[in-house]
Amino acid sequence: MMALVEAARDYDIALVASDKPDAAGIAWARERGLATFTQSPKGIPKAEYEAAIHAALVEAGVEIIALAGYMRLLSEAFVARWAGRIINIHPSLLPKYKGLDTHARAIEAGDAVAGCSVHIVTEELDGGEVLGQAEVPIVPGDTPDSLAARVLEAEHRLYPHVLAEFVRR
């Protein structure tokens, strides 16, 4: 999220939202004068929780949602309401390694490269159209953590670039 905000040239950040009210990124965004929305999903039915998010996005004038570190599955109804206007970054070279533990899975498979993908969010987990990818070599002695650190650097370069292109189209 911070990389997206700092690189914003071709797009405006209308709202920074989180399901964790005490997230460091929310405090960071507020310090920069950005509009924020937080709502913990605990104890709230999913449809009600997503209705609150939807209302906040509409009120802020959001046109495109760029997920960054949002680790909750969105319902089919929410995705359908925002169809073609939600993008996400995923730490693998999709369609490989959808879901979790991507770095460990790439290392265990003996892959020479790993990386990240920016994709359109659909009802299928990590299944939407890939808009851009960046490869990161897997080096001898890599652990999931060391690989994750290098992939994160690639994510910070790739995502703002792809978001800017997506907004322009």
Side-chain angles (χ1 to χ4, degrees), residues 65-76:
I65 300 170
L67 299 175
Y70 190 76
M71 297 298 292
R72 305 184 65 79
L73 293 177
L74 297 168
S75 71
E76 287 186 17

Side-chain angles (χ1 to χ4, degrees), residues 77-94:
F78 186 89
V79 171
R81 193 177 293 148
W82 289 89
R85 298 183 294 144
I86 307 172
I87 65 172
N88 188 31
I89 183 100
H90 181 73
S92 79
L93 297 172
L94 292 172

Side-chain angles (χ1 to χ4, degrees), residues 45-166:
K46 187 169 190 161
E48 186 178 322
Y49 172 73
E50 287 184 347
I53 295 171
H54 174 75
L57 294 168
V58 169
E59 183 177 323
V62 170
E63 296 176 16
I64 295 170
I65 300 170
L67 299 175
Y70 190 76
M71 297 298 292
R72 305 184 65 79
L73 293 177
L74 297 168
S75 71
E76 287 186 17
F78 186 89
V79 171
R81 193 177 293 148
W82 289 89
R85 298 183 294 144
I86 307 172
I87 65 172
N88 188 31
I89 183 100
H90 181 73
S92 79
L93 297 172
L94 292 172
K96 277 187 149 183
Y97 312 122
K98 296 178 180 184
L100 302 175
D101 302 319
T102 59
H103 309 301
R105 291 161 59 199
I107 292 168
E108 289 169 11
D111 292 352
V113 295
C116 54
S117 305
V118 177
H119 66 95
I120 295 177
V121 174
T122 64
E123 292 82 4
E124 179 188 347
L125 177 67
D126 300 326
E129 174 190 354
V130 173
L131 303 172
Q133 294 183 312
E135 290 187 350
V136 174
I138 297 176
V139 297
D142 251 340
T143 65
D145 288 340
S146 65
L147 180 56
R150 290 197 320 283
V151 170
L152 184 62
E153 291 175 12
E155 288 179 8
H156 289 172
R157 290 187 303 273
L158 177 67
Y159 202 3
H161 173 74
V162 173
L163 176 58
E165 286 182 1
F166 186 72

